[in-house]
């Protein structure tokens, strides 16, 4: 019932001024909001508070990881003034790639060309609104894994001792078989 009474006051000649001076600010705010929203339709233009433009997001582009080998995939994260539509990301390292809206930003992936030379490459964002941003991608040579230390058998041992392992082991096996055969003859013959 209180809201009905306050609504009648809001439509009276005193209007919203009485509501702003009311003792209960919460009830006043709830009742003034519909009057302010309806105001721009009757007035020549919207109030100055409602007409202030909201600042857009920053324009940027990021590459993750920022250092990569040829043939690997990188993730792209970007932002334009309007992130509800896609944009294009361009680089000599991977060509042209579209980034699409997702969770309020623009996302995409790109594969670095297999035959791209090591070096730093510019990655440029081209928004549909004309905004641009850029960052750098570093391409490094393909790294080959190093061999482990030569610490034992299995081809890891080197030098003169390695050349004697197989023949020495074979000679010991043959000698053991000869000794076993001779011992067996003695046990059965004598």
């Amino acid at each position: 019932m209180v809201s009905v009474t306050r609504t009648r006051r809001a439509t009276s000649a005193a209007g919203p001024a009485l509501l702003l001076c009311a003792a209960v600010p919460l009830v006043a705010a709830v009742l003034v909001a519909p009057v302010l929203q309806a105001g721009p339709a009757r007035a020549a233009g919207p109030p100055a508070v409602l007409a202030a433009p909201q600042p857009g997001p920053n324009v940027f582009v990021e590459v993750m990881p920022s250092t990569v080998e040829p043939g690997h995939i990188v993730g792209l994260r970007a932002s334009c003034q309007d992130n509800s539509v896609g944009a294009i990301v361009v680089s000599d390292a991977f060509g042209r790639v579209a980034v699409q809206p997702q969770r309020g930003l623009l996302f995409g992936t790109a594969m670095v060309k297999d035959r791209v030379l090591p070096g730093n490459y510019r990655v440029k964002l081209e928004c549909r609104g004309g905004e641009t941003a850029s960052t750098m991608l570093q391409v490094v040579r393909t790294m080959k894994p190093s061999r482990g230390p030569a610490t034992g058998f299995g081809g890891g041992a080197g030098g003169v001792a390695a050349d004697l392992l197989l023949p020495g082991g074979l000679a010991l096996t043959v000698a053991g078989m000869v000794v076993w055969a001779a011992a067996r003859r003695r046990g059965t013959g004598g």
Side-chain angles (χ1 to χ4, degrees):
M1 285 208 206
V2 173
S3 62
V4 173
T5 306
R6 300 272 185 214
T7 304
R8 287 184 185 152
R9 281 189 195 167
T11 57
S12 69
L18 287 176
L19 289 177
L20 293 176
C21 296
V24 183
L26 180 61
V27 173
V30 168
L31 295 176
V32 171
V35 172
L36 288 178
Q37 288 176 355
R42 290 183 300 239
V49 174
L50 297 176
Q54 296 294 326
N58 294 328
V59 178
F60 67 87
V61 61
E62 294 176 348
V63 181
M64 299 163 282
S66 60
T67 302
V68 70
E69 296 175 11
H72 283 78
I73 294 177
V74 293
L76 303 170
R77 183 176 150 218
S79 178
C80 293
Q81 291 295 330
D82 181 9
N83 286 334
S84 65
V85 294
I88 301 293
V89 177
V90 181
S91 177
D92 289 339
F94 51 76
R96 294 177 66 83
V97 175
V99 287
Q100 300 300 324
Q102 225 176 19
R103 298 183 307 252
L105 292 174
L106 303 171
F107 291 92
T109 58
M111 180 177 281
V112 177
K113 297 174 186 173
D114 284 333
R115 298 183 188 252
V116 71
L117 297 174
N120 292 322
Y121 291 86
R122 182 176 180 214
V123 177
K124 182 180 178 187
L125 170 68
E126 297 173 349
C127 300
R128 291 196 182 173
E131 309 93 9
T132 63
S134 66
T135 190
M136 297 301 286
L137 171 67
Q138 183 179 17
V139 178
V140 295
R141 268 188 250 157
T142 303
M143 295 178 277
K144 304 220 181 215
S146 64
R147 266 183 77 186
T151 59
F153 298 108
V160 177
D163 295 336
L164 296 177
L165 282 177
L166 184 59
L170 186 59
L172 285 173
T173 304
V174 170
M177 288 175 58
V178 169
V179 170
W180 175 76
R184 189 169 170 108
R185 279 192 186 170
R186 267 194 200 161
T188 57

